[in-house]
Amino acid sequence: MSKRSSGSLGKLDGADIGFTEVTRSTRADFENLFEQPGAPKYCWCMAWRILSSREHVPNDEKKRAMMALIEAGTPVGIVAHLEGRTVGWCSVAPRETYRKLSRQQDDTETDVWSIVCFYVPRALRGGGLAAALLDAAIDHAFAKGASTIEAYPVDQASPSYSFMGFRNMFVARGFREIGMTGSRRHVMRLER
């Protein structure tokens, strides 16, 4: 998909990070990342996606649901690669592939993509990888035809939802706030 040298990655200063869309042919990278110790295999990034039931869904069923989306060709997100290893994930996909993400969501809008989740292994956190993933997700969504990108980040001090990213990271990239969803998540948009 893309490669960018990330001189702003702190701990990863000068590292060559690559980004790849998760597809049938690349899903093993995503699967291997989520199978690592500490990864969110309890979720398989299905928290905001449509499931037939939301009650007590076993992890393996969430994984099967995600793999079925990938197999069907549904866009689900991108992974980051460093030195031949998959080291991060961002869920970026057309908004209609998720369940309702905010009360003010207008389902008649077209070409809206949503960024709903980041995963960076603990050892790489704080080094700028999430910001690099966000930049790549923005590039990816616009390249795939998005006219608007929506995100639902929280403030740095939020006690929950940090996997959705922090508000300041989105503000720095030109996202503007259009409201709140719940008491913690900001609804933010970037338009082309």
Side-chain angles (χ1 to χ4, degrees):
M1 179 177 138
S2 70
K3 226 173 197 185
R4 72 175 65 196
S5 181
S6 301
S8 64
L9 283 175
K11 289 183 200 174
L12 304 174
D13 197 31
D16 198 20
I17 309 277
F19 303 92
T20 307
E21 178 179 12
V22 176
T23 64
R24 285 180 209 100
S25 62
T26 63
R27 76 176 180 197
D29 293 339
F30 169 75
E31 198 170 1
N32 291 337
L33 178 68
F34 271 59
E35 291 288 352
Q36 293 174 7
K41 56 185 148 271
Y42 56 86
C43 167
W44 284 96
C45 212
M46 291 299 296
W48 297 109
R49 290 189 165 81
I50 300 162
L51 286 168
S52 57
S53 168
R54 301 216 70 79
E55 295 297 315
H56 309 292
V57 179
N59 298 350
D60 61 336
E61 189 174 320
K62 291 175 193 169
K63 178 181 178 181
R64 276 194 300 278
M66 175 56 85
M67 294 302 138
L69 288 172
I70 296 167
E71 186 60 32
T74 304
V76 295
I78 61 173
V79 290
H81 303 280
L82 174 67
E83 298 172 354
R85 296 177 308 132
T86 306
V87 295
W89 155 257
C90 179
S91 179
V92 54
R95 189 175 64 186
E96 66 267 14
T97 65
Y98 298 102
R99 61 190 174 100
K100 197 163 189 87
L101 294 162
S102 72
R103 288 185 296 265
Q104 64 263 37
Q105 184 170 313
D106 177 358
D107 291 330
T108 66
E109 292 179 303
T110 59
D111 302 324
V112 177
W113 280 52
S114 292
I115 297 172
V116 301
C117 182
F118 295 88
Y119 169 64
V120 173
R122 188 173 305 281
L124 295 176
R125 290 180 191 161
L129 184 54
L133 273 162
L134 176 55
D135 290 338
I138 291 167
D139 292 347
H140 175 69
F142 283 142
K144 291 290 190 170
S147 61
T148 302
I149 302 172
E150 201 167 80
Y152 317 90
V154 296
D155 293 316
Q156 196 83 25
S158 177
S160 59
Y161 295 107
S162 61
F163 62 89
M164 297 184 90
F166 296 116
R167 184 181 179 279
N168 60 347
M169 189 168 72
F170 290 87
V171 169
R173 282 150 183 86
F175 280 75
R176 64 180 175 75
E177 187 165 333
I178 62 164
M180 295 289 292
T181 184
S183 61
R184 295 186 180 104
R185 292 180 292 128
H186 301 266
V187 180
M188 302 190 75
R189 293 188 122 190
L190 181 66
E191 294 171 349
R192 189 167 222 176

